[in-house]
């Protein structure tokens, strides 16, 4: 069924492009993502009861395999459901950003992007992963550039170029792993690495390979200081694109990285080898990202750039979780993928709604917006509170998980940056909320009903995302269990 | 599921949120609506306190497999919830009149009403994460009250309040993660559940002590404890007077409650008693006591003087808590009651003066006792109570604090503590009594023939009088209260 | 039968010389004549390459013991076939393009003769022969560089001449040492130095001399300066000679010296290897960075060539079968891709007389064929799977870690990644701007722009298809090329 999703999305993408009619393209995109979501959920239910399976086909260089495991299905669900909600939200928003005759092309890119992201996650054979990564880079840059403004073109090019650098580094790492293990898929590599007790004298190869893969993924997933493309790309893209880019695209590469590190190498080897040093570096850089991303976000005056820098900080959390190198750290990182996807997509869509309705991106001019767009700003508040880590919202659960992971792995000092980062989040999300609801401009509005609110039916996907923020905030138990069992399976790859 | 516990938490929040959608534009209807809400809420709190057994609890949510949101009733919950519920009634009635002068009534009552639910939530919290949840909510929900007037000054103060509160809560949360790791449970269990073996075994004893200290300092922010006190003198005075009253009288106590929960219900006194942590905390509280009084003494702005006074007085309570001795603890609890009522009276009377006479500086208050006798009488009695002149509640609490300090095994602090408390009492007299003296005896140049009686109306005087009666009588009928607090102390020592 | 080897070498030279004398006045006749020569010759080349493997032909001894001789082996045949096929495409393209430059008769005369010389290099049987034709190549291509006789082109030709001849002289010294030490200049797979101690300092010096001497043609730092200058030549020259034939002749010579004369085993792990690896890695980065800074389209492509050629040299200098394979894969892949890029650039210059990258905004809508082909070639050069550049990178990295890996091999992986980034920037910025000019772009500047005619678009399309096919058929091609 994993293949079904990928094929469905790619076929849908072509269909959306071929139809040449913006209305039809929208409908195709909506229906295809809806089906995708349904398949993903069904697949997840199957996997949670049945266990995972690996499908192989082709031979030689073209030999590919697809793993349908719990982590993969978890990601497919995120891609499917959140992708669907974003596409749904884009129905009413996209014509604001993208010219009418480019809309079929836009949905082609979006569906192709979702398809390739699923492929990045599902493929177990590294050639397949790599091809998917490259294709997704192009589609991702495409949905930035499609807005057809000079700044978009520049941002898209910057994004594309650094993506290429990232994927080249990943490729180099993969090749070295291939040289060292003669394996081109995670299972084979995992078997080789685990069987020989971390490869004996070839362990230097593996570490060098992972160093390259790490730095490549750092570019793809915008780990500070390799994030330089992100604020431009996410900040200038059409808002649905920004939502997809930050909540879904970044995550696919991280999951690939997790599968490489924890699937192919595994917790036991990490604990007692040079990989520990590498992961320590990842952890420290992640911490730096948490702080610097937030500090940079505080300095922004453009709402979308602020949210984009916030993503940089959030990526830091995820990398820090990975860097802990323990099962609980990985769990925290995976959970944060969910938390950030749900929250950040909502925030970007809210920002898009605000810009669309008020033609203003400047945070300093958003005073009193809470009176004009109460529902929209309420959704923003929920997102902001989740980011800060207030209980009842999903962000708190994430923070809790990270803290537990940190204390569990005895890296106590990490609690300090974790706390500071949460505080910094408050420093840039809350002022927006305060200004919106208690701003000066609110008093100057003379008309009693000068509402700029978008119709509720257009806001519905945003509301559903906010509901997600709360649901995963108050009842994260089932998801956590699912992830824990998925991690267990992951760590046994190749044994 | 024990709905009775949930009700006083959720009911005011819902009612508060509904103020605006219901479009209660008519003042009368709105007053009835708010009054009904706070009174019903107080009655339920009271009923809970009387009928619910110790340890009655309910679990609201499982955030994840480990973290749940639960409510529970024990001695401390009864105390704080009753104080909050009751003072909210008085402040609400007072607000009906007072808020006419501030405007934006609907917004005020929205947050004012909702806040009491959150406060009951804090007092009913069964574990640290629930406490943290409501604690953060309290910050968010009260800062609109602080910046209600929307002047530049109040917006600035509101932001300062927000930043300090978040810094405090964040530091506390960092420590909380340690507590969660090294305590058997995050639930509040009298006497604490620290796994001492695990702490010493991990080799991080010092780190753990530091984190406990930080947690307490973090929560101390709300209580205006040095070094996170600086927001308080800015934030409390700019709010509308009834909001200042509950901020100073009740909300500061939430910080105290959180500290009590950490020390007595999680870590346990055994771990801290006699360690450097205790001495650091004692020093901080004593320093805050002295500093607050000194600053209040120097301050000319009436409400700000009262705010500095709060800084000082809340640290009396915290000093009692830090003695880690049953008598000191009882003193702390008594002072919670005393200060809550007294500080309400002081702020409400200051508000009445502002409301009627628009006078904000202490130098302007000559002859005010002639013009507003009831208000100033209440003020004077409350001042006496706060200074600690028998037989008011303030005397009893200070007596217990001082004897607690002397009996506790805290070395040098056994003597320093009472000395500082005494000095501070003198300073308290120094900054509160002149207003009374000048108010009643304005001197010869006061135009005795021209003054008008400008007493405020019933909405404001009745709450003042009721509170004053309580403040005075609580000293006379100390025994039942003291016994009640002793039973709490018995469980945790 | 082995005498047949002479045909592809001699035929174009004679045909070219005849053209100089005959001076065709009519375009049609000239084109038929040139096309016939080149096609017939290419057919011979292919025949010889695939059927006469192992044939040898010894001509008169030049100096004692070192005769002029020709031989056909896998590497020579592969190189000859590649050049021959590309020559046909370029000839047709040039027919149209040169109408815009003028002086066609002289141009095609030398262009055709260069074909013969290239075949001489491909089929050279020993270092002496290789050197001989290498010098001929320098001389015969000078008139092509100087073609429009402007001041810039005269300067470029002079620099080209000085660089090439000096380089060849240095290489000659290396060859002399090889001949003196090993006693043979013949090409034998694995080298002829079996009797000599591995890593002997004389051989190391000889190798460094040959590498940098022949490396001049393949624009190794610091001897690269002539190549960007030479981009003033007509585009078919830039495309075929300065992206494929001439520059790859240098690479080819280095490969011959490394794997067939001195021998990789003799050199592996020596200081000489370290020097040449470092030089090639520096050149890769330098070329890419310089390309990024160029605003002139053909100069940008020329610097790109500087960088890409050193990918091949890097592979060769790894001194392992994998390195050889990676280098050869990139030799072929880059040849097809870079010729395509140059021909696209030429098509743009031919139709619009625009030479600078900022002038290309919005051009994609008006010249769709050209720019789509340009984009495909860009993707291939950057290394997007499944196009050729991806497999080059793959094989080169495998080689870098394959046998006797060194710190420079490790560093090479990072250099390749960074270079891919720079490549992406300097190529994609052109593609994206061409198709998405951004709002506020005045479309009227491109009013009269359109795709060139079939003489140009057909070769371009064939090349684009070839790029894709090369990527898809990578498995059989690697088997063909393995040492």
């Amino acid at each position: 069924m994993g293949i079904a999703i990928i094929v469905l999305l790619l076929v849908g993408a072509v269909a959306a492009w071929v139809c040449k009619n913006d209305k039809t393209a929208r409908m195709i995109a909506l229906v295809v993502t809806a089906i995708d979501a349904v398949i993903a959920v069904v697949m997840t239910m199957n996997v949670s009861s049945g266990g995972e399976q690996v499908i192989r086909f082709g031979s030689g260089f073209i030999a590919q395999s697809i793993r349908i495991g719990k982590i993969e299905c978890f990601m497919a669900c995120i891609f499917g459901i959140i992708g669907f909600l974003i596409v749904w939200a884009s129905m009413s928003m996209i014509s604001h950003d993208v010219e009418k005759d480019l809309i079929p092309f836009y949905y082609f890119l979006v569906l192709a992007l979702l398809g390739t992201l699923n492929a990045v996650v599902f493929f177990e054979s590294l050639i397949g992963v790599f091809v998917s990564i490259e294709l997704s880079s192009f589609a991702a840059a495409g949905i930035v550039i499609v807005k057809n403004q000079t700044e978009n073109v520049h941002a898209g090019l910057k994004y594309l170029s650094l993506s290429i650098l990232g994927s080249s580094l990943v490729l180099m790492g993969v090749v070295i792993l291939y040289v060292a293990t003669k394996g081109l898929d995670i299972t084979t590599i995992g078997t080789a690495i685990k069987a020989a007790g971390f490869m004996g004298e070839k362990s230097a190869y593996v570490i060098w390979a992972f160093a390259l893969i790490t730095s490549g993924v750092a570019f793809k997933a915008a780990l500070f200081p390799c994030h330089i493309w992100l604020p431009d790309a996410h900040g200038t893209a059409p808002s649905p694109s920004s939502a997809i880019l930050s909540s879904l695209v970044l995550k696919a590469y991280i999951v690939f990285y997790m599968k490489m590190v924890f699937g192919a190498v595994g917790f036991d080897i990490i604990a007692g080898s040079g990989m520990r040093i590498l992961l320590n570096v990842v952890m420290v850089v992640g911490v730096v990202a948490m702080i610097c991303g937030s500090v940079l976000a505080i300095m922004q005056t453009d709402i979308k750039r602020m949210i984009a820098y916030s993503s940089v900080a959030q990526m830091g959390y995820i990398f820090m979780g990975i860097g802990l190198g323990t099962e609980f750290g990985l769990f925290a990182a995976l959970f944060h993928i969910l938390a950030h996807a749900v929250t950040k997509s909502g925030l970007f869509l809210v920002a898009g709604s605000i810009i669309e309705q008020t033609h203003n991106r400047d945070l300093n001019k958003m005073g009193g917006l809470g009176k004009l767009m109460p529902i929209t700003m309420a959704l923003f508040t929920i997102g902001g509170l989740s980011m800060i880590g207030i209980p009842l919202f999903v962000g708190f659960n994430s923070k809790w998980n990270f803290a537990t992971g940190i204390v569990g792995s005895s890296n106590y000092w990490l609690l300090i940056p974790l706390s500071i980062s949460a505080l910094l989040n408050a420093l840039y999300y809350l002022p927006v909320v305060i200004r919106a609801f208690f701003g000066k401009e609110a008093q100057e509005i003379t008309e009693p009903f000068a509402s700029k609110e978008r119709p509720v039916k257009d806001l519905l996907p945003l509301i559903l995302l906010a509901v997600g923020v709360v649901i995963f905030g108050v009842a994260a138990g089932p998801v956590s269990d699912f992830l824990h069992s998925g991690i267990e399976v992951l760590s046994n790859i190749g044994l | 599921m024990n709905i009775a516990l949930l009700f006083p938490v959720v009911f005011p929040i819902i009612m508060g949120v509904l103020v605006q959608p219901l479009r209660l534009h008519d003042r009368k209807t709105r007053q009835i609506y708010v009054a009904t809400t706070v009174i019903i809420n107080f009655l339920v709190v009271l009923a809970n306190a009387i009928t619910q057994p110790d340890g009655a609890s309910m679990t609201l949510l499982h955030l994840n497999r480990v973290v749940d949101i639960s409510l529970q009733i024990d001695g401390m919950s009864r105390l704080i919830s009753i104080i909050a519920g009751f003072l909210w009634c008085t402040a609400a009635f007072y607000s009906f009149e007072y808020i006419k002068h501030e405007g934006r009534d609907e917004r005020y009552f929205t947050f004012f009403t909702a806040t009491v639910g959150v406060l009951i939530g804090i007092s009913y919290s069964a574990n640290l994460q629930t406490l943290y949840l409501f604690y953060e909510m309290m910050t968010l929900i009260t800062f609109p009250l602080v910046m209600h007037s929307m002047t530049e000054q109040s917006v600035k103060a509101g932001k300062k309040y927000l930043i300090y509160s978040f810094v405090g809560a964040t530091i506390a949360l960092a420590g909380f993660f340690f507590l969660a790791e090294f305590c058997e449970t995050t639930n509040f269990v009298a006497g604490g559940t620290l796994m001492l073996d695990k702490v010493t075994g991990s080799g991080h004893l010092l780190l753990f002590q530091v984190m406990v200290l930080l947690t307490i300092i973090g929560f101390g922010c709300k209580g205006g404890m040095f070094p996170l006190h600086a927001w308080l003198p800015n934030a409390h005075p700019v709010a509308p007077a009834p909001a200042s009253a509950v901020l100073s009288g009740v909300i500061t106590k939430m910080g105290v409650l959180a500290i009590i929960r950490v020390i007595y219900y999680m870590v346990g006194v055994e771990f801290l008693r006699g360690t450097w942590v205790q001495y650091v905390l004692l020093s901080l509280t004593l320093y805050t006591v002295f500093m607050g009084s000194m600053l209040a003494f120097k301050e000319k702005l009436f409400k700000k003087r009262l705010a500095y006074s709060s800084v000082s007085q809340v640290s009396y309570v915290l000093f009692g808590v830090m003695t880690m001795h049953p008598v000191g603890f009882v003193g702390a609890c008594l002072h919670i009651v005393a200060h809550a009522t007294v500080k309400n009276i002081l702020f409400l009377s200051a508000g009445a003066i502002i409301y009627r006479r628009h006078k904000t500086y202490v130098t302007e208050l000559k002859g005010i006792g002639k013009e507003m006798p009831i208000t100033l009488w209440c003020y004077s009695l409350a001042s006496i109570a706060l200074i600690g002149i028998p037989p008011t509640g303030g005397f009893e609490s200070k007596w217990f604090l001082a004897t607690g300090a002397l009996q506790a095994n805290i070395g040098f602090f056994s003597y320093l503590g009472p000395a500082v408390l005494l000095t501070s009492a003198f300073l308290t007299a120094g900054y509160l009594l002149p207003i009374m003296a000048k108010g009643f005896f304005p001197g010869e140049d006061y135009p005795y023939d021209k003054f008008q009686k400008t007493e405020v109306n019933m909405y404001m005087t009745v709450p003042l009088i009721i509170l004053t009666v309580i403040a005075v009588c609580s000293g006379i009928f100390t025994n039942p209260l003291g016994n009640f607090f002793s039973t709490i102390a018995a469980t945790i020592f | 039968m082995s005498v047949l080897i002479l045909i592809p070498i001699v035929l174009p030279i004679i045909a070219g010389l005849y053209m100089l004398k005959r001076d065709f006045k009519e375009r049609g006749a000239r084109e038929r004549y040139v096309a016939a020569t080149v096609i017939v010759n290419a057919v011979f080349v292919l025949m010889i390459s695939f059927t006469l493997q192992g044939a040898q032909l010894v001509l008169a001894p030049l100096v004692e013991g070192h005769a002029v001789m020709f031989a056909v082996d896998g590497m020579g045949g592969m190189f000859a076939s590649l050049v021959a096929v590309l020559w046909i495409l370029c000839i047709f393209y040039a027919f149209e393009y040169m109408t815009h430059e003028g002086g066609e008769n002289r141009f095609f005369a030398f262009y055709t003769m260069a074909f013969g010389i290239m075949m001489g290099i491909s089929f050279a049987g020993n270092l002496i022969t290789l050197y001989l034709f290498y010098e001929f190549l320098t001389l015969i291509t000078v008139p092509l560089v100087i073609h429009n006789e402007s001041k810039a082109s005269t300067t470029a030709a002079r620099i080209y001449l000085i660089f090439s001849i000096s380089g060849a002289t240095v290489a000659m010294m290396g060859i002399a040492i090889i001949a003196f030490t090993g006693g043979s200049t013949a090409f034998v797979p694995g080298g002829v130095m079996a009797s000599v101690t591995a890593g002997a300092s004389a051989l190391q010096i000889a190798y460094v001399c040959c590498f940098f001497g022949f490396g001049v043609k393949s624009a190794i730092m610091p001897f690269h300066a002539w190549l960007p200058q030479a981009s003033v030549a007509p585009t078919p020259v830039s495309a075929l000679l300065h992206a494929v034939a001439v520059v790859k002749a240098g690479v080819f010579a280095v490969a011959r010296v490394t794997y067939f004369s001195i021998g990789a085993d003799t050199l592996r792990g020596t200081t000489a290897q370290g020097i040449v690896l470092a030089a090639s890695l520096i050149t890769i980065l330098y070329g890419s960075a310089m390309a990024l800074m160029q605003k002139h389209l053909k100069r940008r492509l020329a610097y790109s060539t500087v960088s890409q050629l050193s990918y091949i040299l890097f592979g060769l200098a790894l001194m392992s079968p994998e390195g050889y394979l990676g280098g050869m894969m990139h030799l072929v892949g880059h040849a097809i891709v870079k010729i395509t890029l140059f021909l696209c650039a030429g098509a743009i210059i031919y139709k619009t007389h625009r030479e600078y990258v900022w002038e290309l905004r919005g051009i994609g809508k008006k010249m769709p064929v050209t720019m789509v082909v340009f984009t495909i070639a860009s993707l291939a050069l950057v290394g997007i799977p499944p196009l050729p550049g991806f497999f080059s990178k793959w094989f080169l990295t495998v080689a870098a870690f394959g046998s006797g890996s060194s710190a420079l091999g490790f560093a090479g992986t990072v250099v390749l990644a960074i270079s891919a980034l720079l490549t992406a920037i300097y190529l994609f910025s052109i593609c994206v701007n061409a198709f998405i000019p951004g709002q506020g772009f005045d479309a009227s500047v491109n009013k009269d722009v359109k795709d060139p005619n079939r003489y140009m678009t057909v070769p371009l399309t064939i090349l684009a298809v070839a790029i894709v096919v090369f990527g898809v058929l990578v498995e059989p091609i690697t088997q063909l090329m393995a040492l």
Side-chain angles (χ1 to χ4, degrees), chain B residues 18-38:
Chain B
L18 286 178
V19 167
Q20 284 189 344
L22 288 178
R23 300 187 192 279
L24 302 171
H25 297 309
D26 177 45
R27 179 168 305 249
K28 201 93 185 182
T29 339
R30 190 167 57 230
Q31 286 175 0
I32 294 170
Y33 176 84
V34 173
T36 325
T37 308
V38 291

Side-chain angles (χ1 to χ4, degrees), chain A residues 59-62 99 127 130-131 134-135 138 145-150 153-154 157-158 160-165 168-169 171-176 178-179 184 204-205 208 212, chain C residues 361 379 382-386 390-391 393-395 397-399 401-402 405 409-414 416-421 424-425 428-429 432-433 436-439 474-475:
Chain A
S59 69
F61 226 72
I62 306 157
E99 292 159 30
I127 295 290
F130 185 75
V131 173
E134 287 286 24
L135 294 177
F138 280 96
I145 293 179
V146 76
K147 198 171 164 189
N148 202 8
Q149 305 278 352
T150 316
V153 177
H154 285 203
L157 266 177
K158 196 167 169 186
L160 188 55
S161 308
L162 288 168
S163 269
I164 300 276
L165 174 61
S168 299
L169 289 167
L171 173 67
M172 299 303 162
V174 167
V175 175
I176 296 165
Y178 168 66
V179 172
L184 268 178
Y205 275 49
W208 179 245
L212 287 170
Chain C
R361 274 180 81 188
L379 292 174
V382 172
I384 307 301
F390 167 74
F391 295 105
K393 272 196 289 190
W394 179 277
F395 287 118
T397 317
V398 168
F401 282 82
S405 61
F410 281 45
T413 53
V414 178
L416 291 185
I418 296 172
S419 175
L421 161 75
I425 298 175
F428 289 159
S429 59
V432 171
N433 272 318
I436 304 167
Q439 268 168 8
V474 67
E475 288 248 0

Side-chain angles (χ1 to χ4, degrees), chain A residues 294-377:
Chain A
S294 288
V295 169
L296 288 166
I298 292 171
M299 289 155 60
Q300 304 303 315
T301 55
D302 179 319
I303 183 168
K304 282 181 73 178
R305 283 183 78 84
M306 181 195 89
I307 301 175
Y309 272 110
S310 159
S311 288
V312 174
Q314 301 300 318
M315 289 300 109
Y317 278 88
I318 295 177
F319 276 100
M320 181 195 73
I322 295 174
L324 290 174
T326 60
E327 295 193 21
F328 215 91
L330 175 61
F331 163 68
L334 273 169
F335 189 84
H336 199 63
I337 285 180
L338 169 70
H340 183 244
V342 178
T343 315
K344 195 48 76 64
S345 52
L347 283 173
F348 264 122
L349 293 174
V350 165
S353 302
I354 293 171
I355 295 169
E356 183 188 318
Q357 295 293 321
T358 64
H359 302 285
N360 169 38
R361 309 167 65 101
D362 190 343
L363 287 169
N364 295 322
K365 293 180 187 157
M366 288 193 180
L369 213 53
K371 289 263 156 68
L372 299 177
M373 311 175 74
I375 302 177
T376 313
M377 287 316 294

Side-chain angles (χ1 to χ4, degrees), chain A residues 443, chain B residues 27 94-109 144-151 154 236-244 303 351 354-355 358 360 460:
Chain A
Q443 299 166 318
Chain B
R27 179 168 305 249
Y94 180 93
S95 305
F96 293 150
E97 182 67 20
Y98 185 86
I99 209 67
K100 284 180 188 166
H101 142 98
E102 291 269 356
R104 286 189 286 281
D105 311 19
E106 288 173 33
R107 193 174 104 190
Y108 175 82
F109 283 114
L145 294 175
V146 170
M147 52 197 275
H148 183 79
S149 67
M150 296 306 292
T151 57
S154 67
H236 285 185
V238 296
S244 311
K303 280 176 78 181
I354 292 169
Y355 181 68
H358 302 287
T360 53
M460 294 166 104

Side-chain angles (χ1 to χ4, degrees), chain C residues 240-254:
Chain C
L240 187 56
L241 300 185
H242 298 151
V244 181
V246 170
V247 290
K248 300 242 153 84
V251 175
F252 184 77
V254 170

Side-chain angles (χ1 to χ4, degrees), chain B residues 1 31-32 65 128 158 220 330-331 342 366 483:
Chain B
M1 194 177 237
Q31 286 175 0
I32 294 170
R65 285 286 178 251
L128 202 43
V330 171
V342 167
K366 273 186 186 172
N483 289 342

